[in-house]
Amino acid sequence: MYIWVRCIIIGIALCLFQVMGIGQEEELCDNEVAEALFDRKDYRAAIEAYECSLEYSTDTTCQAESYYRIGKAFCRLSNYRTAILNHQWALELLDREKDPKARAKNYSGIADANSKLGNFEEAYYYESKALQIAEINNDKKSITRSVYQLGNYAHSIEDYSRALENYMRVRTLLGTDTVTRQYGTTLGAIGSAYIGLYQLEKAIKFLEQSAELGIELKDSTILFYALGNLGEAHAESGNVELAVSYIHAAIEGKEAFGDQNGVVDSKLELGQLLMAQKRYGRAETLFTEALMEANEIGAKVKVLECYQALKSLFSENGQYEKAFYFLDRYTTLKEEMLGEKTRELIEEHNIIYQTSEKEAEIKRLKDIQVQRDENDRLKTMIMISVVLLITGLIIAGYRINKDLSRKNATLAEIGDQLKRKNIELEHFAHIASHDLKEPLRTISSFTSLLGRKYVDNLDNKAQEYMGFIHKSVANMYTLLDDLLNYARADRPKSEATRVKSNQLLDVALGNLNAQIEKKDASIIVQEESLPELEIVPSQLVQLFQNLIGNALKFSNGKKPEVQVNCRELSENYYCFSVKDNGIGIAPADQQKIFEMFSRLHHEEAYWGTGIGLATCQKIVDLYGGKIWVESELGKGATFYFTLPDARNEKSRTV
């Protein structure tokens, strides 16, 4: 009882202090100086001003806004990794329910910084989160902006179908507002996506509309980028002269309004076109001009492209010394850029090391805010002292609920981190595959060149060694492709669509057509048994292609016979089977074959990477299915895998 009396006395004292103004602080969120510096593009001074405001502010909303602006400033200074860290600190402070728009703009900020680093899959992931918030709030302007950005990120990773889908949605969102810069830019983007899909008539149609709108709006940016893309479209369709004239016009326009990056791209494109016509002199001039301008603006990636173009040009027209010279320049710059990348990673690790101090500061600020909330609750309890006990129980319940919410939020964040790591794995596999293929292409190209040029000077042993090199390069290509397919096998189920499995089987058989004809194989498909499924199409194609490809490979000299069938199970699943008449698999090995890099045979007998069946296992696991084999040595094998019924998936979603 004595304790409750003390609480009431303390509470009355606090109320008196509040009335008298004792101990009150006014929380300000005034960043006018920092905003003025930011607007003047003095980004370093703006960062210092925002960081100064963080030292004195205890309001989490103000702190989050400061971190957001710091992130934008670092992005303008090309310090993209530090920009990402500041946006993430802002997200740590923002309430999921109360501050959705602030969270959305920080997600977009992280997406923008990742795109500048070339992490377009990561950028797509974060911009999708911003779009979800915009859709919940029915913010049409933000929806349009996010969807357009998603189209750009998909286009950057050459996923032209996904890019086109987003651009078409932007066009629908703009509605009747068709005489605007945004509409003209969208038409050009649609045309560019159609070029990537090799639907050239549609590409030309949309690009011409974009160019006409650029003329009507007197917008040179829209006009000349449309002309450049029209040049590319006509080049792809074989109308070379018209393509050359369009690209010339685009170059002149981009030079007029000072877009040096655009000029370099267009000159490289025009040079490649002229090189294909064997107009080597003019192509060399364009490549050299592009190289000079790329060096002038310090665009090392474009300098690499220029070196690559000049190396290919001189190699093609027989000037091998020059070709070797530019190959050496290319290799030297590539190594230099890798060194810079390494230094950036070291700097990033240093920043991450410092993150713990920032996190401790955030925790301190949160504790201050919690303490202020506690004080407010104590004042309220004294003013309604008659129901003090009930209020105490309510507060205890609130605390428990808040703790549960915090734990749920932590679990959600862990799930998000896992998704990001999967995206990083796929991105790493894509980059590793591309960068490792480049030296392989160079080895193959120069080995072929040596073989053709010095064939009369090589003895049988030397020619045999050349054959070993070609075979090893081909095997390495296959291994890299299989690794990339394995990394892509866990594309999110959110990209699934309802498809007919017999159509995807036809795609797989088309991909294997050369092997089928070479071995005179017989493929028997029970078309009527193949169902509709809710699945990512490329994943089902990969399943069929890997299993039928193995059936063709392990035929032991016999004419392969492959049967594809499907039956409906009672548990709302379909069971597919791929049966062959090949060499069979011993019972002791029937689990081992689904392990990564597992091979049962010496590579001289049956060459393979040991990744194909592991990829199948990964895809089937993603949909909650199973995959297994039934076989005996010398009596063929039957592979089974189960996938959920599309109708059942739909009902669960609803």
Side-chain angles (χ1 to χ4, degrees):
M1 191 67 181
Y2 177 68
I3 294 173
W4 290 111
V5 171
R6 287 186 63 191
C7 288
I8 293 171
I9 294 171
I10 293 169
I12 293 170
L14 288 172
C15 287
L16 290 172
F17 288 155
Q18 184 177 24
V19 171
M20 295 169 64
I22 299 173
Q24 282 191 298
E25 296 179 0
E26 183 180 357
E27 178 63 63
L28 299 176
C29 187
D30 186 3
N31 287 324
E32 290 184 5
V33 174
E35 293 293 337
L37 291 168
F38 190 97
D39 292 340
R40 292 209 309 263
K41 300 183 180 180
D42 189 353
Y43 299 119
R44 294 194 183 280
I47 289 169
E48 292 178 3
Y50 284 122
E51 288 178 340
C52 182
S53 73
L54 281 171
E55 294 180 8
Y56 298 101
S57 174
T58 57
D59 182 80
T60 54
T61 303
C62 293
Q63 294 160 9
E65 180 64 21
S66 293
Y67 279 123
Y68 167 75
R69 300 296 290 176
I70 292 170
K72 297 297 288 183
F74 272 120
C75 200
R76 301 289 175 84
L77 292 170
S78 301
N79 195 339
Y80 304 118
R81 289 183 172 83
T82 307
I84 291 170
L85 285 173
N86 278 277
H87 287 304
Q88 288 173 339
W89 290 332
L91 288 169
E92 286 280 340
L93 292 167
L94 291 168
D95 188 281
R96 288 179 177 271
E97 302 298 329
K98 295 180 181 178
D99 306 301
K101 290 187 177 181
R103 291 183 68 82
K105 69 181 184 181
N106 276 286
Y107 285 136
S108 292
I110 295 174
D112 182 43
N114 271 296
S115 72
K116 298 296 193 305
L117 290 168
N119 302 330
F120 296 108
E121 287 284 6
E122 189 88 349
Y124 197 96
Y125 168 78
Y126 279 105
E127 195 61 53
S128 296
K129 298 194 78 166
L131 175 60
Q132 290 174 1
I133 294 172
E135 288 175 334
I136 291 171
N137 290 282
N138 198 25
D139 184 348
K140 184 177 178 181
K141 183 178 179 181
S142 296
I143 292 171
T144 304
R145 191 205 67 80
S146 287
V147 174
Y148 188 83
Q149 286 299 105
L150 289 173
N152 290 341
Y153 299 149
H155 194 286
S156 296
I157 56 174
E158 299 180 0
D159 190 345
Y160 300 115
S161 297
R162 190 160 48 157
L164 180 62
E165 180 183 340
N166 283 295
Y167 291 144
M168 284 296 192
R169 185 180 174 190
V170 172
R171 186 185 178 206
T172 302
L173 287 167
L174 292 174
T176 58
D177 195 13
T178 59
V179 189
T180 63
R181 189 177 194 279
Q182 189 175 17
Y183 194 81
T185 304
T186 303
L187 291 176
I190 293 170
S192 179
Y194 272 127
I195 292 175
L197 293 169
Y198 211 73
Q199 298 183 34
L200 300 177
E201 289 185 4
K202 291 182 178 179
I204 291 169
K205 171 189 169 184
F206 279 98
L207 290 169
E208 286 177 345
Q209 291 177 10
S210 178
E212 289 169 3
L213 190 53
I215 294 170
E216 183 177 349
L217 295 171
K218 297 180 180 179
D219 191 315
S220 54
T221 303
I222 294 174
L223 173 61
F224 291 118
Y225 273 93
L227 291 177
N229 284 326
L230 277 168
E232 183 181 352
H234 282 293
E236 292 287 348
S237 64
N239 195 341
V240 177
E241 292 304 322
L242 187 56
V244 169
S245 65
Y246 273 125
I247 298 174
H248 266 304
I251 291 172
E252 291 174 2
K254 291 173 183 178
E255 286 176 340
F257 59 82
D259 180 10
Q260 287 182 283
N261 274 300
V263 170
V264 172
D265 289 338
S266 294
K267 285 187 176 180
L268 284 171
E269 184 179 353
L270 183 56
Q272 295 287 357
L273 195 59
L274 294 173
M275 191 172 79
Q277 294 182 298
K278 302 191 182 304
R279 294 161 65 178
Y280 298 123
R282 179 58 181 149
E284 180 182 350
T285 300
L286 286 165
F287 289 154
T288 304
E289 290 175 358
L291 176 58
M292 293 172 61
E293 289 167 1
N295 275 317
E296 183 180 334
I297 61 176
K300 292 186 178 181
V301 173
K302 297 193 183 298
V303 171
L304 278 180
E305 293 177 16
C306 294
Y307 285 153
Q308 182 74 7
L310 285 163
K311 186 266 291 182
S312 300
L313 171 71
F314 290 124
S315 178
E316 186 173 314
N317 69 6
Q319 299 184 54
Y320 302 115
E321 289 187 7
K322 290 184 176 180
F324 276 114
Y325 170 76
F326 282 106
L327 176 61
D328 181 63
R329 296 294 297 273
Y330 175 91
T331 305
T332 302
L333 181 56
K334 187 80 170 179
E335 290 174 352
E336 178 186 329
M337 291 173 67
L338 285 172
E340 291 176 356
K341 183 75 171 179
T342 302
R343 287 192 293 274
E344 287 178 6
L345 288 173
I346 292 171
E347 181 184 349
E348 180 182 354
H349 283 297
N350 288 334
I351 292 171
I352 291 171
Y353 177 76
Q354 296 166 6
T355 301
S356 59
E357 295 181 4
K358 288 282 187 180
E359 289 177 343
E361 178 67 11
I362 290 172
K363 185 178 184 301
R364 185 186 70 81
L365 295 173
K366 283 186 175 180
D367 290 341
I368 292 173
Q369 187 63 38
V370 169
Q371 186 60 49
R372 291 179 59 165
D373 292 342
E374 291 289 343
N375 291 339
D376 291 339
R377 281 196 291 271
L378 183 59
K379 295 172 188 178
T380 305
M381 287 169 61
I382 299 303
M383 286 187 288
I384 54 171
S385 55
V386 177
V387 289
L388 185 62
L389 181 59
I390 298 174
T391 304
L393 292 173
I394 293 173
I395 291 172
Y398 171 76
R399 288 176 177 173
I400 293 171
N401 184 61
K402 188 174 182 179
D403 185 57
L404 289 173
S405 299
R406 188 181 296 111
K407 289 179 180 178
N408 289 335
T410 302
L411 289 174
E413 193 64 28
I414 291 171
D416 290 343
Q417 290 175 3
L418 181 59
K419 290 178 183 177
R420 291 198 296 273
K421 292 300 179 185
N422 287 334
I423 291 171
E424 289 172 1
L425 174 62
E426 182 177 348
H427 183 66
F428 170 78
H430 178 79
I431 295 299
S433 174
H434 180 273
D435 285 353
L436 289 173
K437 282 182 179 179
E438 180 59 32
L440 288 177
R441 280 192 284 269
T442 302
I443 292 169
S444 179
S445 173
F446 281 96
T447 304
S448 299
L449 182 63
L450 288 170
R452 291 197 304 272
K453 188 171 179 64
Y454 301 103
V455 65
D456 295 331
N457 300 327
L458 299 175
D459 58 20
N460 292 338
K461 201 67 177 176
Q463 292 184 17
E464 182 182 4
Y465 291 157
M466 299 278 278
F468 289 157
I469 294 173
H470 279 297
K471 182 179 179 182
S472 296
V473 169
N475 290 348
M476 191 63 181
Y477 263 114
T478 303
L479 177 59
L480 291 173
D481 287 338
D482 285 355
L483 281 171
L484 189 56
N485 287 335
Y486 182 81
R488 287 175 171 167
D490 54 357
R491 295 284 291 273
K493 289 173 67 177
S494 60
E495 297 182 15
T497 184
R498 190 165 183 169
V499 293
K500 295 181 178 178
S501 56
N502 62 328
Q503 294 177 352
L504 300 183
L505 175 59
D506 289 341
V507 174
L509 293 175
N511 295 340
L512 296 168
N513 187 55
Q515 298 175 46
I516 293 171
E517 290 184 354
K518 181 179 179 180
K519 294 206 172 187
D520 192 25
S522 174
I523 311 295
I524 302 169
V525 180
Q526 293 190 2
E527 292 273 352
E528 67 278 3
S529 70
L530 298 181
E532 287 189 357
L533 296 173
E534 193 83 13
I535 193 169
V536 177
S538 61
Q539 293 175 339
L540 187 54
V541 171
Q542 194 72 51
L543 272 172
F544 283 137
Q545 189 167 318
N546 288 0
L547 295 176
I548 297 172
N550 280 352
L552 297 172
K553 182 195 298 184
F554 299 103
S555 57
N556 199 23
K558 294 188 291 187
K559 177 182 177 180
E561 293 181 5
V562 184
Q563 298 180 30
V564 182
N565 195 5
C566 182
R567 71 179 190 274
E568 187 173 3
L569 301 179
S570 59
E571 299 86 7
N572 296 315
Y573 273 77
Y574 285 105
C575 181
F576 291 79
S577 64
V578 178
K579 182 178 181 182
D580 64 53
N581 63 339
I583 62 176
I585 304 168
D589 296 323
Q590 290 177 11
Q591 292 296 326
K592 179 181 177 183
I593 58 174
F594 294 101
E595 297 173 2
M596 191 72 165
F597 301 115
S598 175
R599 293 185 291 187
L600 304 182
H601 307 280
H602 194 275
E603 67 177 19
E604 292 181 3
Y606 297 97
W607 191 88
T609 61
I611 300 174
L613 288 176
T615 302
C616 294
Q617 176 87 64
K618 191 175 184 183
I619 293 170
V620 172
D621 287 347
L622 182 65
Y623 293 90
K626 298 179 180 178
I627 184 168
W628 70 96
V629 63
E630 295 179 2
S631 176
E632 293 180 22
L633 277 176
K635 296 184 179 180
T638 304
F639 282 84
Y640 299 89
F641 63 91
T642 61
L643 291 172
D645 185 347
R647 296 166 298 178
N648 186 51
E649 286 287 297
K650 189 72 174 178
S651 66
R652 286 203 297 266
T653 303
V654 174

